[in-house]
Amino acid sequence: MAGWGVFFLGLLNYKTGKIVIAENRKIGILFRLYQLAVLGYIIGWVFVVRKGYQEREEAIQTSVITKLKGVALTNSSETGLHLWSAEDYVIPPNGEQVFFIVTNFIETPNQRLGFCAESFKVPNGRCQSDDDCVEGEAVIAGHGIKTGLCINSTGTCQIHAWCPVEHSKRPTEPLLSEAENFTIYIKNFIRFPKFEFSKSNVLETPDDSYLKRCSYDKEEHLYCPIFRLGDLVSWTGNDFQEMAVQGGSVGILIEWDCDLDKAYSRCNPEYSFTRLDRGLNNSVTSGYNFRYARYFKDENGTFRTLYKVYGIRFDIMINGQAGKFNIVPTIIAIGSGIALLGAGAFACDVILLYMMNTSSFYRDKKFEIINLKKEQNKHKEGKTGHRERRHKKPAADKEAGNSTNKPEETEALAESQLPVDQRGPTVPRNAGQRYSGNLSNQGTGPRHHITFSAQN
Ligand SMILES: *[C@@H]1O[C@H](CO)[C@@H](O)[C@H](O)[C@H]1NC(C)=O
């Protein structure tokens, strides 16, 4: 019963740590410098530079629509004049995020199914005699099926194919050099779902002729996403006419880096342009081309025009992130800063207590070593050997403390039942109840209890 009473009274105590102040300049300065550094890191880097108080959103939702304008007239010796409009030179024509623009081509008109000689450019099609051309075998990387004949005039097998096979050379000047003046309109819508924020890169204006007149300019017309192809390529550090001969690949990156704590108008797109097939100067791998055919019908059957087209492929990539103030990341940032300060205190403790000449002094002052066994042994010794002395002790205390109360009278008020043994290290006060509980159960001899009030 008494034990429970003490326990419940003990609950009403407030326990607080004891602070040891070490008057040591070096450690003091070190600790202050560390605190300054941490403070600088938290404020400068975490809050100002990295905006640690913001909730981030990197999953941008985006849509891109492209449209090209411009026409070009070509004049080839084989087919004569040909007018190229956007429907012809943009592949695919439906305004995608990745598209191809024809700048140069090889045309092989009027191909019909029949028998003709394989091109000499195909190694597997070459032959010395009919034995080299096995009937029914396809020419590896060639144009048709071998018929078993070797044609001496060309030195190649006869094949069953769309004839005649392509034989022209790539023009050294781009046939659609006027593509330099084509314009591309890139419409881009973005959305940050977490913040319910959406925007587009086109000026929101009631003036519907604006987009017909304007052209992109970083300062003047940021919200006019109409680019001249020649400009696009020159911003990548390349010459359009040079690139148009063999083709290539250009990346258009639109970046949206938005601080949504600021005004709507401060969230702007940023364009950058790079050539993606760079570093391949005049090697066989540089450039971009592919073939396609257009089919026609007349009274003699089907015939086709084969095109091998060279051109520039554009890849539009959208990147974006947004940040907005939120209390949770703010608290986390502050909390981690405080934790860092604590790490500094730990490091200074280690230096102070273990790594200095005077460390043993600070250790003695800071640590209180207790041992339950030793404490009990002393207690027993005290009971048998030093009984007299122990009996005197409370009296001495009484005089020193200038107290008129007898210790026994204050027993009922005891908050902490500590055995009075002032010689050795004492049981820590903050764990008083538990230790005294153990001890008092074992103690059979006269026990002496004091209160803090009686002692002080
Ligand atoms: C593009 O247009 C400009 C001005 O209209 C003209 O001077 C230039 O020759 C054109 N470029 C090509 C390759 O046609």
Side-chain angles (χ1 to χ4, degrees):
M1 282 300 284
W4 282 107
V6 169
F7 173 74
F8 285 119
L9 276 175
L11 284 184
L12 300 178
N13 291 340
Y14 174 71
K15 290 162 196 159
T16 179
K18 185 174 162 189
I19 307 284
V20 177
I21 295 168
E23 283 189 349
N24 184 309
R25 279 282 140 71
K26 282 183 202 153
I27 290 289
I29 291 170
L30 184 72
F31 188 58
R32 292 296 164 213
L33 280 180
Y34 177 82
Q35 281 182 325
L36 266 180
V38 168
L39 223 63
Y41 164 76
I42 299 289
I43 293 172
W45 178 253
V46 175
F47 276 90
V48 175
V49 178
R50 301 306 306 259
K51 299 203 169 69
Y53 55 88
Q54 287 187 334
E55 189 183 7
R56 310 292 301 167
E57 163 82 292
E58 280 169 21
I60 186 173
Q61 294 177 347
T62 167
S63 168
V64 175
I65 298 160
T66 56
K67 188 178 274 185
L68 273 116
K69 292 257 170 84
V71 289
L73 194 65
T74 61
N75 190 1
S76 72
S77 51
E78 293 182 43
T79 55
L81 286 175
H82 188 75
L83 185 77
W84 292 76
S85 62
E87 306 83 77
D88 307 307
Y89 61 73
V90 182
I91 301 167
N94 54 338
E96 289 201 36
Q97 192 164 351
V98 179
F99 58 92
F100 176 87
I101 291 171
V102 178
T103 53
N104 203 3
F105 63 94
I106 299 169
E107 190 177 13
T108 314
N110 300 322
Q111 285 188 323
R112 286 178 192 271
L113 273 178
F115 300 93
C116 54
E118 175 61 288
S119 162
F120 193 75
K121 283 192 243 167
V122 184
N124 188 248
R126 295 175 197 162
C127 62
Q128 253 107 47
S129 68
D130 289 353
D131 296 343
D132 297 332
C133 304
V134 182
E135 192 183 343
E137 203 176 71
V139 183
I140 295 168
H143 298 96
I145 311 289
K146 292 171 185 169
T147 59
L149 272 178
C150 183
I151 298 170
N152 290 332
S153 59
T154 58
T156 57
C157 298
Q158 192 195 44
I159 53 169
H160 181 218
W162 287 96
C163 291
V165 297
E166 180 185 289
H167 53 80
S168 305
K169 278 219 153 64
R170 186 189 69 222
T172 50
E173 290 289 314
L175 292 171
L176 278 89
S177 63
E178 289 156 64
E180 189 173 354
N181 279 342
F182 292 172
T183 56
I184 168 171
Y185 171 35
I186 303 171
K187 208 167 10 170
N188 177 212
F189 300 96
I190 59 137
R191 201 173 101 87
F192 293 108
K194 201 187 269 178
F195 305 124
E196 289 291 332
F197 178 90
S198 30
K199 200 165 182 180
S200 104
N201 67 338
V202 187
L203 189 72
E204 287 155 20
T205 170
D207 178 8
D208 56 4
S209 67
Y210 175 73
L211 285 177
K212 297 211 162 64
R213 305 182 260 111
C214 71
S215 82
Y216 175 79
D217 183 281
K218 201 174 171 154
E219 263 79 49
E220 300 277 309
H221 297 287
L222 182 62
Y223 280 86
C224 172
I226 294 176
F227 304 87
R228 207 176 67 98
L229 286 193
D231 293 341
L232 278 192
V233 173
S234 69
W235 289 331
T236 70
N238 289 268
D239 179 60
F240 184 87
Q241 297 300 335
E242 207 175 279
M243 195 172 173
V245 178
Q246 283 202 79
S249 176
V250 168
I252 301 171
L253 181 67
I254 308 178
E255 279 213 80
W256 296 83
D257 195 354
C258 292
D259 183 347
L260 301 184
D261 292 329
K262 294 183 181 155
Y264 180 79
S265 60
R266 299 283 292 273
C267 172
N268 292 324
E270 214 172 277
Y271 299 86
S272 53
F273 310 91
T274 41
R275 181 164 182 180
L276 297 176
D277 63 337
R278 195 190 291 277
L280 309 164
N281 283 344
N282 286 327
S283 91
V284 284
T285 50
S286 77
Y288 181 27
N289 66 74
F290 62 89
R291 290 184 180 82
Y292 69 94
R294 290 207 180 116
Y295 291 81
F296 310 95
K297 252 182 187 161
D298 64 4
E299 59 272 24
N300 297 325
T302 305
F303 66 101
R304 71 174 195 182
T305 299
L306 178 71
Y307 292 94
K308 179 177 184 181
V309 290
Y310 298 83
I312 302 170
R313 176 193 150 113
F314 291 90
D315 281 88
I316 301 172
M317 295 160 279
I318 317 290
N319 259 344
Q321 50 182 340
K324 197 175 190 177
F325 171 79
N326 189 306
I327 192 72
V328 175
T330 310
I331 287 172
I332 290 172
I334 293 173
S336 61
I338 290 170
L340 267 182
L341 286 178
F346 175 75
C348 288
D349 265 10
V350 168
I351 294 170
L352 182 72
L353 298 173
Y354 299 102
M355 293 164 77
M356 296 198 336
N357 299 335
T358 49
S359 281
S360 60
F361 166 73
Y362 290 112
R363 272 204 302 277
D364 285 349
K365 287 292 178 191
K366 186 167 161 73
F367 297 127
E368 206 170 18
I369 296 162
I370 55 164
N371 185 314
L372 183 62
K373 282 260 166 60
K374 273 188 191 161
E375 204 75 11
Q376 285 170 343
N377 285 345
K378 271 179 200 156
H379 194 70
K380 274 179 200 150
E381 275 172 32
K383 264 190 294 175
T384 53
H386 304 279
R387 183 162 292 213
E388 269 178 30
R389 206 180 147 201
R390 285 175 58 86
H391 274 289
K392 278 175 194 162
K393 203 79 178 159
D397 269 358
K398 203 165 80 180
E399 282 157 29
N402 198 16
S403 168
T404 51
N405 287 348
K406 283 180 186 173
E408 284 77 10
E409 282 172 1
T410 61
E411 187 174 354
L413 292 169
E415 290 173 84
S416 177
Q417 299 184 319
L418 290 171
V420 177
D421 191 340
Q422 309 278 348
R423 282 165 300 163
T426 51
V427 176
R429 296 259 145 83
N430 63 352
Q433 279 95 20
R434 196 135 45 93
Y435 282 94
S436 68
N438 287 345
L439 286 171
S440 58
N441 284 345
Q442 291 169 350
T444 49
R447 297 201 311 256
H448 302 278
H449 302 284
I450 55 159
T451 63
F452 287 131
S453 58
Q455 232 176 356
N456 301 327

Coordinates of all heavy atoms in Angstrom, one line a residue, residues 177-181 228 241, ligand 1:
S177 N 15.5 22.7 -100.2 CA 16.3 23.6 -99.4 C 15.4 24.7 -98.8 O 15.7 25.3 -97.8 CB 17.4 24.2 -100.2 OG 16.8 24.9 -101.3
E178 N 14.3 24.9 -99.5 CA 13.3 26.0 -99.0 C 12.7 25.6 -97.6 O 12.1 26.4 -97.0 CB 12.2 26.2 -100.0 CG 12.7 26.9 -101.2 CD 11.8 26.6 -102.4 OE1 10.6 27.0 -102.4 OE2 12.3 26.0 -103.4
A179 N 12.9 24.3 -97.2 CA 12.4 23.9 -95.9 C 12.9 24.8 -94.8 O 12.4 24.8 -93.7 CB 12.7 22.4 -95.7
E180 N 14.0 25.4 -95.1 CA 14.6 26.3 -94.1 C 13.7 27.4 -93.6 O 13.7 27.8 -92.5 CB 15.9 26.9 -94.7 CG 16.7 27.7 -93.6 CD 18.0 28.2 -94.2 OE1 18.4 27.9 -95.3 OE2 18.7 28.9 -93.4
N181 N 12.8 27.8 -94.5 CA 11.8 28.8 -94.2 C 10.5 28.3 -93.8 O 9.6 29.1 -93.5 CB 11.6 29.7 -95.4 CG 12.8 30.8 -95.5 OD1 13.5 31.0 -94.5 ND2 12.9 31.4 -96.7
R228 N 10.9 29.1 -87.0 CA 11.4 28.8 -88.3 C 12.4 27.6 -88.2 O 13.2 27.6 -87.3 CB 12.1 30.1 -88.9 CG 12.1 30.2 -90.4 CD 12.8 31.6 -90.8 NE 14.2 31.5 -90.4 CZ 15.1 31.3 -91.4 NH1 14.8 31.1 -92.6 NH2 16.4 31.2 -91.0
Q241 N 21.2 23.8 -94.2 CA 21.4 23.3 -95.5 C 22.4 22.0 -95.5 O 22.2 21.1 -96.2 CB 22.0 24.3 -96.4 CG 21.1 25.5 -96.7 CD 19.8 25.1 -97.3 OE1 19.7 24.1 -98.0 NE2 18.8 26.0 -97.1
Ligands
LIG1 C1 14.0 32.2 -96.8 O1 13.3 33.4 -96.8 C2 14.2 34.5 -96.9 C3 13.3 35.8 -96.8 O2 12.1 35.6 -97.3 C4 14.9 34.4 -98.2 O3 15.8 35.5 -98.4 C5 15.7 33.1 -98.3 O4 16.3 33.0 -99.5 C6 14.8 32.0 -98.0 N1 15.6 30.8 -97.9 C7 15.5 29.7 -98.7 C8 16.5 28.6 -98.4 O5 14.7 29.7 -99.6

